[in-house]
């Protein structure tokens, strides 16, 4: 073999991201909305020094390379300091999900063997429910986000104030672990995904590409997606890499608060799960022209399917463009996004809407295929459903210390996503279901996502989730849970009539149950397992 004559041993380290921001973008801003509504702002120059102070403080606390340092924090600038201070020194940033039950947090923090937890003061009531069960825990550092640090805890500000703002970071092998997130399935224990410096760096670069999210120095980025949900979709690292302004919402994620922040800070890109955006759209519709959102170039929506009616509503009524993205904790997370290709540049809005409503095609370096139950690779015909498999440099190759889940990885090097998709000839994926949510009625598959999207296009409907209910004859039949917009409603016949033109008769839900709210997971997705638990025997009882 003839080797190339390039610096192929140059290791991709996250410390580079910090050094670049400190030396090139020191004037650029980072803003946090505090719990009391006030705004805190400083520059990347300030950020750079404080992040190094934090690394020094952690070193003084005894943190060594490979140690797991957890955060239990909302989205704010000090969380961003931890995002780089920890991996840059060779330790592992472990973002804990503050919406989980203390028993899950106990399992996760014990499994990760966290040695230090950096926690917001406002979250101490949660931390205090599980910190006593963590044998590996040596220190808790408290961020005084909503008041002074209580006695008996280390105070973040005091701790870093005593430290130098210089830190000569080690040159790490790029495969060194940098960060970890746990992902909860409906069965079994949460699974740890352990990102490397290399995967985080390559993912950050991918996020800056023009044909993906095009994150750049002119951006002002609002991650509504929590920093504990797949690293806020990689946006913080991409922002520091490019010097983009960051706008953190803190703990208050009410639609009006987010809209105020977007308008005031001239946000260009905001990201979050569909439920957040459904609330925002309803508020915009009720108050046209109240907020000047002319700076917003896109809203990245993913984590679950973005309903086409929402994408359409944003574009038509508010001239706001949604980028519908698909990803998983296991894929760092960005795997695909729905960009209209050049050959459709002049296509009518309806045609583009169909494309924007898919989960898009894969971003560079992520490969996709779908397979049947025997593992046979299926054709890209836009019709055949199968399980999506992916591979690429920021896709997990295994779970952390978890041999029970080894069968999620194929012998030929692909990750089994558990998502059921069709793929069309242009490579666009359409997720029809999570495999565990699929409805099999008399042996035929029914896509719950397609039904939900159609129900949510009814003007009176705010949210809808379709799930499998046990049926004496057909095994399973679709049942729809519907939440109406405030002050609005529709009859079951009206809802059925709304769906009829678009689906085969056997796809139509057998019934509709009206709820005040659809149960949500810790990251804001419909929690269908809860609906199945509560209404799974609904049709049997009705019969
Ligand atoms: P998590 O690791 O918690 O982010 O969950 C990943 C899962 O969320 C995927 O396997 C999908 O089932 C779902 N998901 C993510 N993005 C989308 C999307 N754009 N449309 C539909 N489902 C999605």
């Amino acid at each position: 073999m003839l080797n190339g004559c390039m610096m192929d041993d140059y290791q991709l380290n996250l410390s580079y991201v910090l050094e670049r921001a400190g030396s090139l973008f020191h004037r650029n801003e980072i803003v946090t909305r505090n719990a009391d509504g006030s705004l805190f702002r400083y520059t990347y120059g300030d950020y750079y020094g404080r992040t190094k102070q934090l690394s020094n403080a952690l070193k003084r606390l005894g943190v060594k390379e490979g140690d797991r340092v957890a955060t239990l924090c909302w989205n704010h600038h000090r969380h961003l300091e931890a995002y780089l201070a920890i991996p840059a020194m060779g330790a592992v940033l472990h973002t804990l999900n503050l919406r989980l039950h203390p028993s899950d947090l106990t399992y996760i923090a014990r499994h990760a063997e966290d040695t230090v937890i950096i926690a917001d003061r406002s979250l101490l009531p949660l931390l205090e429910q599980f910190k006593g069960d963590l044998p590996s825990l040596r220190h808790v550092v408290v961020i005084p986000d909503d008041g002074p640090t209580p006695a008996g805890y280390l105070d973040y500000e005091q701790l870093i104030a005593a430290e130098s703002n210089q830190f000569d970071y080690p040159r790490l092998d790029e495969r060194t672990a940098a960060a970890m997130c746990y992902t909860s399935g409906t069965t079994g224990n949460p699974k740890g995904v352990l990102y490397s410096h290399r995967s985080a760096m390559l993912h950050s670069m991918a996020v800056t590409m023009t044909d993906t999210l095009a994150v750049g120095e002119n951006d002002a980025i609002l991650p509504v997606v929590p920093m504990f949900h797949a690293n806020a979709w990689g946006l913080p690292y991409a922002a520091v890499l490019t010097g983009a302004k960051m706008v953190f919402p803190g703990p208050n994620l009410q639609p009006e608060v987010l809209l105020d922040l977007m308008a005031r800070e001239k946000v260009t890109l905001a990201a979050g799960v569909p439920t957040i955006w459904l609330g925002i759209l309803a508020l915009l519709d009720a108050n046209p022209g109240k907020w000047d959102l002319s700076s917003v170039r896109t809203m990245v929506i993913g984590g679950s399917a973005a309903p086409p009616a929402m994408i359409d509503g944003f574009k038509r009524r508010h001239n706001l463009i949604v980028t519908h993205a698909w990803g998983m904790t296991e894929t760092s997370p960005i795997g695909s996004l729905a960009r209209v290709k050049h050959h459709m540049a002049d296509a009518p809005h309806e045609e583009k809407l169909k494309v924007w409503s898919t989960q898009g095609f894969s971003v560079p370096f992520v490969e996709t295929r779908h397979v049947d139950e025997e593992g046979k690779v299926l054709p890209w015909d836009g019709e055949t459903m199968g399980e999506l498999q992916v591979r690429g440099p920021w896709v997990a190759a295994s779970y952390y210390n978890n041999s029970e889940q080894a069968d999620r990885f194929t012998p030929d090097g692909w990750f089994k996503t558990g998502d059921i998709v069709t793929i069309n000839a242009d490579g666009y994926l359409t997720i029809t279901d999570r495999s565990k949510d699929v409805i099999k009625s008399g042996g035929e598959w029914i896509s719950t996502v397609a039904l939900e999207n159609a129900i949510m296009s009814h003007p009176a409907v705010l949210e809808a989730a379709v799930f499998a209910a046990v049926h004496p004859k057909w095994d399973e039949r679709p049942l729809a849970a519907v939440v109406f917009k405030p002050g609005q409603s529709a009859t079951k016949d009206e809802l059925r009539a709304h769906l009829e033109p678009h689906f085969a008769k056997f796809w139509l839900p057998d019934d509709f149950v009206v709820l005040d709210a659809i149960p949500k997971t810790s990251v804001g997705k419909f929690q269908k397992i809860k609906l199945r638990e509560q209404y799974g025997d609904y049709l049997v009882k009705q019969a």
Side-chain angles (χ1 to χ4, degrees):
M1 179 176 97
L2 178 63
N3 280 339
C5 302
M6 304 309 286
M7 295 187 186
D8 294 324
D9 292 330
Y10 183 96
Q11 301 296 301
L12 301 176
N13 277 204
L14 281 173
S15 55
Y16 168 80
V17 172
L18 180 65
E19 297 296 349
R20 182 175 166 85
S23 57
L24 297 178
F25 307 121
H26 45 90
R27 296 168 197 273
N28 297 7
E29 265 190 321
I30 300 172
V31 180
T32 297
R33 185 183 187 281
N34 296 316
D36 64 4
S38 62
L39 293 179
F40 170 86
R41 58 182 77 234
Y42 69 0
T43 64
Y44 273 108
D46 304 320
Y47 169 75
Y48 175 75
R50 283 173 54 91
T51 300
K52 293 200 158 187
Q53 284 176 298
L54 176 57
S55 297
N56 279 315
L58 292 171
K59 191 171 170 189
R60 197 178 297 277
L61 290 179
V63 171
K64 297 182 302 301
E65 287 186 18
D67 282 355
R68 269 74 71 201
V69 177
T71 57
L72 186 66
C73 298
W74 296 102
N75 287 12
H76 50 59
H77 60 285
R78 287 183 278 213
H79 204 172
L80 187 69
E81 291 166 4
Y83 251 56
L84 278 164
I86 297 165
M89 65 189 288
V92 181
L93 166 79
H94 175 200
T95 49
L96 290 166
N97 179 340
L98 55 87
R99 297 198 198 278
L100 290 180
H101 191 269
S103 61
D104 284 329
L105 287 165
T106 306
Y107 171 85
I108 289 170
R110 285 180 78 115
H111 188 267
E113 297 174 288
D114 295 329
T115 58
V116 176
I117 298 182
I118 300 174
D120 285 350
R121 177 190 185 273
S122 57
L123 295 168
L124 284 181
L126 172 62
L127 180 70
E128 280 163 2
Q129 292 178 62
F130 68 96
K131 78 175 174 46
D133 295 326
L134 310 179
S136 56
L137 185 64
R138 295 199 302 264
H139 302 284
V140 174
V141 178
V142 174
I143 292 181
D145 63 333
D146 68 343
T149 298
Y153 284 109
L154 295 170
D155 175 73
Y156 184 95
E157 291 298 332
Q158 276 181 15
L159 200 67
I160 70 168
E163 299 294 340
S164 155
N165 60 6
Q166 300 297 314
F167 196 118
D168 202 7
Y169 288 121
R171 286 202 159 252
L172 303 165
D173 182 310
E174 64 184 18
R175 289 167 299 186
T176 305
M180 76 194 308
C181 274
Y182 279 71
T183 174
S184 310
T186 43
T187 52
N189 285 319
K191 307 174 288 280
V193 178
L194 190 53
Y195 308 107
S196 61
H197 282 259
R198 175 184 155 84
S199 73
M201 285 290 280
L202 290 173
H203 183 268
S204 306
M205 277 174 30
V207 168
T208 66
M209 295 173 87
T210 309
D211 285 350
T212 65
L213 299 182
V215 165
E217 201 238 344
N218 283 323
D219 273 317
I221 297 176
L222 173 72
V224 184
V225 46
M227 291 169 85
F228 55 75
H229 185 197
N231 292 330
W233 301 350
L235 291 169
Y237 290 137
V240 183
L241 176 69
T242 56
K245 174 177 170 180
M246 281 301 271
V247 182
F248 290 109
N252 192 333
L253 306 180
Q254 291 306 310
E256 57 272 47
V257 166
L258 295 174
L259 283 166
D260 283 347
L261 207 50
M262 285 165 80
R264 189 191 314 202
E265 295 304 321
K266 299 203 177 343
V267 165
T268 60
L269 182 153
V273 292
T275 39
I276 295 275
W277 299 105
L278 283 169
I280 286 184
L281 180 60
L283 197 63
L284 285 177
D285 285 343
N287 302 276
K290 179 167 174 191
W291 289 276
D292 174 5
L293 299 179
S294 53
S295 58
V296 177
R297 67 174 176 84
T298 193
M299 292 161 333
V300 183
I301 306 189
S304 40
M310 178 180 72
I311 301 174
D312 191 37
F314 272 124
K315 178 74 182 82
R316 269 190 212 265
R317 300 197 289 278
H318 307 285
N319 199 26
L320 289 168
I321 292 176
V322 168
T323 301
H324 187 198
W326 170 88
M328 304 179 71
T329 304
E330 292 89 337
T331 65
S332 295
I334 306 239
S336 68
L337 50 86
R339 196 179 69 78
V340 167
K341 290 187 194 174
H342 180 69
H343 73 272
M344 285 188 63
D346 298 324
H349 173 81
E350 279 65 29
E351 291 304 305
K352 287 186 179 167
L353 180 62
K354 282 186 198 150
V355 172
W356 289 327
S357 304
T358 70
Q359 278 69 21
F361 60 94
S362 57
V363 299
F365 301 119
V366 174
E367 294 180 61
T368 53
R369 69 181 188 187
H370 65 324
V371 301
D372 67 11
E373 274 155 334
E374 277 76 53
K376 187 171 97 39
V377 176
L378 296 169
W380 288 17
D381 59 8
E383 282 178 13
T384 315
M385 291 188 206
E387 187 186 7
L388 176 66
Q389 300 188 342
V390 294
R391 67 176 179 191
W394 52 85
V395 177
S398 66
Y399 290 109
Y400 173 64
N401 268 352
N402 184 333
S403 50
E404 286 157 35
Q405 298 282 340
D407 64 351
R408 293 288 301 275
F409 305 88
T410 70
D412 62 341
W414 294 72
F415 168 63
K416 301 180 192 171
T417 65
D419 284 332
I420 307 298
V421 297
T422 61
I423 308 182
N424 75 11
D426 285 311
Y428 286 94
L429 311 168
T430 298
I431 296 201
T432 58
D433 259 307
R434 197 70 202 138
S435 56
K436 62 182 185 293
D437 293 332
V438 137
I439 299 179
K440 231 175 183 178
S441 174
E444 299 277 351
W445 279 2
I446 293 176
S447 163
T448 63
V449 176
L451 284 168
E452 286 159 6
N453 283 342
I455 302 172
M456 285 191 271
S457 72
H458 188 286
V461 174
L462 181 66
E463 288 181 342
V466 176
F467 57 98
V470 178
H471 191 280
K473 180 167 176 202
W474 302 109
D475 294 341
E476 289 178 349
R477 289 292 302 150
L479 188 62
V482 177
V483 179
F484 291 115
K485 290 180 184 159
Q488 302 197 34
S489 66
T491 64
K492 290 178 186 180
D493 285 345
E494 283 166 346
L495 291 173
R496 200 167 288 115
H498 182 72
L499 299 179
E500 254 161 13
H502 308 291
F503 297 101
K505 220 176 177 72
F506 83 95
W507 273 49
L508 298 180
D510 276 23
D511 211 340
F512 299 82
V513 288
V514 178
L515 304 181
D516 292 336
I518 303 222
K520 309 259 168 35
T521 69
S522 64
V523 287
K525 306 180 190 202
F526 294 154
Q527 200 168 20
K528 295 193 188 178
I529 189 165
K530 274 260 159 66
L531 291 169
R532 285 197 297 267
E533 275 165 19
Q534 218 176 333
Y535 296 100
D537 57 358
Y538 184 86
L539 298 175
V540 180
K541 279 189 186 153
Q542 297 271 307

